Amino acid sequence: MHDLLARIQRRAGRMLREIIPYHPHLRPVGVAPSSAALANQAGSSTAYSEVYPAYTSHLQVPEVFLTSGPSYYEPVATEELMPPAFVLTLENGRVNVDDINSVAIIAANNQLVGDVSLQFSPVNFALATPAENPIFHQSYFTSPRQVEGTVCSLLSGGGAAIGNYYHWMLDSLPRLHLVQEAGLWDAIDYFLIYDRGHSFALETLRELGVRDEQIIDVKSNSHLQARTLIVTSSVRGGGRHAPRWVGEFMQRSFRPLDTGTPARRFAPLVYVTRRDASFRQVRNEAEVEAVLREYGFESYALSELNLREKVALFSGARAVVGPVGAGLVNILFCQPGTPLIEFLPRNLIVADYLDLTSRLDMPHYPLISHRDDASSQNASADRRDDLTVDIKALRRTLQQAMPEVVTI
C-alpha cells in the first residue's frame, strides 16, 4: 500500500509540475551536443576528462534469455558499443530530479547535458533520448538550492532513486572510480546522493573515507546548483553491460575491510535467502535449504549483516546460491571462479547477473522456475512474484557447478 501511495503521489506531482507555471526560465533551452563538445566551446565553464576510451563489449547469452524474457524488457544484447567513460566538471551546474526516475544535468548556459543526464521510456523501461527528458515538459520549478563548494553527483536515476541497493552498488558508487582516475577526489567538498535515509549509501561512503558532513541529498530539495558540479558518464554506458573496471574498483576498495580477526565466521557455501524481503520469496524454501545443507551450505539473510560482514561473506564464498534480487550484487566481492546458481522466476528472466558474473570471471548457472509461477500481469507485479524451485533441477545444477563436493 505504501508503494502504491508513493507512485500516486509521484504521478500527481508530475502532472502538477507540467500544468502550473512557476520559474519557467529554469527549464533548459535545449540539449548540448555532448559533454566533450560543450567543454570545447569557446568560453565554456566546463572541463571534460576521458578516463576510458570507447570499446565494444561482448556477452555470451543463452537462448532462454533471448526468447523467454518479459515482453516489456528489451532482451540483453550480445554486443554493446560502450561509449567513453568520462568526468565532466561544470561551473554553476545544476541538478534537477523533480522526476525521481530521471536526472537532468544542466550547464550554466541552461542547456541539458544529455550524455550525463538520464531518462527512461515509460513503455519498456529502455533509455530514452535526452530530448525526451521529463524536464522539457515541466513548467513548475523551485529555485535551486545553492551549494558553495564542489559537489560530486552520485545520482544515477531509476532504482537507485528509490533506494535499491543493486543500483547503488553497480550504477552509483563506481562513479567514484572515474572521479579518482580523473584526479578530482581531493577537490570534492560534498557527495550528492538521493536520500541520507539510505543507510547502505552512508555506510559505503564512510568506509571510503567520506565524512558524514560531506554527504548531502536531494530528498528535501530536488533542484540544486553548485559552484562547481562534478558528474560522470553512466557506469554501464547507457546499456546493460557492466565494464570490468567496476569489479576491480569495488574489490580494491572494499576487500581490505575483510582483514584481521573477523567478528563472525561464515560458511564458504552460501545460500542467500529472501525470507527478510516482502516479495520474490522462494515458496518451497524449507525443501531447498534441506537439499543445500546436504552439500554444506548455510543460509544468510543479508539484511542482518553490515557491509564488512557482507564483504567477508562473499569474498570467502566458494559458491553462492539464491533468488534474483539486489543482494546478489555482493558477488562483486567474490573471488574469480566462484559459481553463482541464480533462481529466476519464469516471468523475470533478466540477465543482470549473467552479465556481472561474466565481468567477474564467475560461472553462472540460471535455474528458471516453472511457467505456472508467472502471473504475467505487468512489470511491477511480475517483479514481486514468488517462485518455486525445481528440486531435481537444483540437484543437477549443484552437481554441475560443484562436481568436487560430496554430499554428507
Side-chain angles (χ1 to χ4, degrees):
M1 180 61 71
H2 180 270
D3 290 344
L4 176 61
L5 290 174
R7 287 198 298 272
I8 292 173
Q9 289 174 340
R10 289 196 294 269
R11 181 171 297 179
R14 183 170 62 250
M15 293 174 63
L16 289 174
R17 287 193 300 272
E18 293 178 358
I19 295 172
I20 302 173
Y22 187 69
H23 292 162
H25 65 281
L26 294 172
R27 183 194 301 124
V29 295
V31 180
S34 69
S35 290
L38 181 66
N40 285 330
Q41 290 178 2
S44 172
S45 57
T46 63
Y48 175 91
S49 178
E50 182 175 304
V51 179
Y52 295 109
Y55 68 97
T56 301
S57 174
H58 300 275
L59 178 66
Q60 291 187 348
V61 182
E63 185 69 17
V64 67
F65 285 91
L66 298 173
T67 59
S68 301
S71 60
Y72 38 78
Y73 283 127
E74 290 186 355
V76 65
T78 59
E79 182 178 292
E80 284 187 358
L81 176 62
M82 304 291 284
F86 63 86
V87 179
L88 185 70
T89 303
L90 305 98
E91 300 302 318
N92 297 311
R94 284 192 286 142
V95 179
N96 185 290
V97 288
D98 284 331
D99 185 307
I100 198 66
N101 288 314
S102 66
V103 178
I105 303 298
I106 306 160
N109 66 0
N110 207 25
Q111 284 188 315
L112 181 80
V113 189
D115 53 3
V116 289
S117 298
L118 180 76
Q119 51 284 317
F120 290 100
S121 164
V123 178
N124 61 0
F125 304 98
L127 289 179
T129 65
E132 298 173 275
N133 193 292
I135 200 167
F136 289 113
H137 300 288
Q138 189 169 322
S139 297
Y140 187 99
F141 291 86
T142 58
S143 297
R145 168 190 174 189
Q146 299 294 323
V147 180
E148 289 298 322
T150 299
V151 175
C152 175
S153 172
L154 297 178
L155 308 184
S156 60
I162 56 176
N164 185 277
Y165 180 74
Y166 168 87
H167 288 289
W168 169 256
M169 297 292 279
L170 189 60
D171 295 319
S172 290
L173 199 61
R175 293 169 184 258
L176 293 176
H177 169 68
L178 299 179
V179 174
Q180 289 173 340
E181 291 298 303
L184 295 172
W185 179 273
D186 292 336
I188 299 171
D189 298 305
Y190 302 101
F191 296 83
L192 182 65
I193 65 174
Y194 281 101
D195 186 352
R196 282 182 54 89
H198 297 161
S199 59
F200 56 79
L202 302 185
E203 187 179 20
T204 47
L205 288 173
R206 288 165 180 160
E207 290 288 5
L208 292 175
V210 176
R211 301 187 309 277
D212 188 75
E213 64 269 20
Q214 291 182 285
I215 306 171
I216 61 175
D217 67 17
V218 294
K219 183 178 181 181
S220 57
N221 193 329
S222 56
H223 193 186
L224 175 149
Q225 185 170 35
R227 186 182 66 199
T228 303
L229 177 65
I230 296 176
V231 294
T232 78
S233 53
S234 170
V235 171
R236 289 188 276 182
R240 307 270 290 280
H241 291 196
R244 293 185 71 89
W245 60 257
V246 169
E248 294 166 356
F249 165 71
M250 295 295 283
Q251 292 170 7
R252 184 172 62 250
S253 300
F254 293 102
R255 269 195 193 159
L257 301 180
D258 182 29
T259 58
T261 303
R264 177 177 176 183
R265 295 192 177 277
F266 299 100
L269 303 180
V270 175
Y271 173 63
V272 178
T273 175
R274 284 182 61 87
R275 69 169 59 97
D276 55 338
S278 59
F279 60 94
R280 206 181 310 128
Q281 295 186 353
V282 176
R283 295 189 182 96
N284 58 335
E285 188 164 65
E287 192 175 3
V288 168
E289 289 179 305
V291 170
L292 291 174
R293 278 195 297 270
E294 297 176 12
Y295 291 80
F297 280 83
E298 291 189 16
S299 300
Y300 297 95
L302 299 184
S303 63
E304 300 171 359
L305 307 179
N306 61 34
L307 176 64
R308 289 181 176 239
E309 289 172 327
K310 291 172 187 173
V311 172
L313 174 65
F314 283 85
S315 64
R318 287 200 295 119
V320 178
V321 178
V324 59
L328 289 186
V329 77
N330 290 293
I331 63 171
L332 282 165
F333 307 126
C334 284
Q335 304 289 341
T338 306
L340 171 66
I341 299 175
E342 181 185 14
F343 300 159
L344 287 164
R346 173 63 63 173
N347 51 331
L348 197 65
I349 303 176
V350 290
D352 296 12
Y353 293 116
L354 169 70
D355 176 73
L356 188 55
T357 51
S358 74
R359 314 306 167 189
L360 299 171
D361 297 321
M362 296 173 57
H364 180 259
Y365 298 89
L367 194 57
I368 299 169
S369 65
H370 293 299
R371 174 72 63 183
D372 57 10
D373 270 348
S375 64
S376 299
Q377 299 176 48
N378 54 54
S380 179
D382 285 354
R383 283 198 298 265
R384 303 183 69 85
D385 272 353
D386 295 335
L387 63 106
T388 303
V389 174
D390 184 325
I391 296 300
K392 290 183 179 179
L394 173 60
R395 288 188 181 277
R396 290 195 300 269
T397 305
L398 285 166
Q399 292 291 353
Q400 182 183 3
M402 305 166 55
E404 76 285 359
V405 175
V406 179
T407 57
I408 300 172

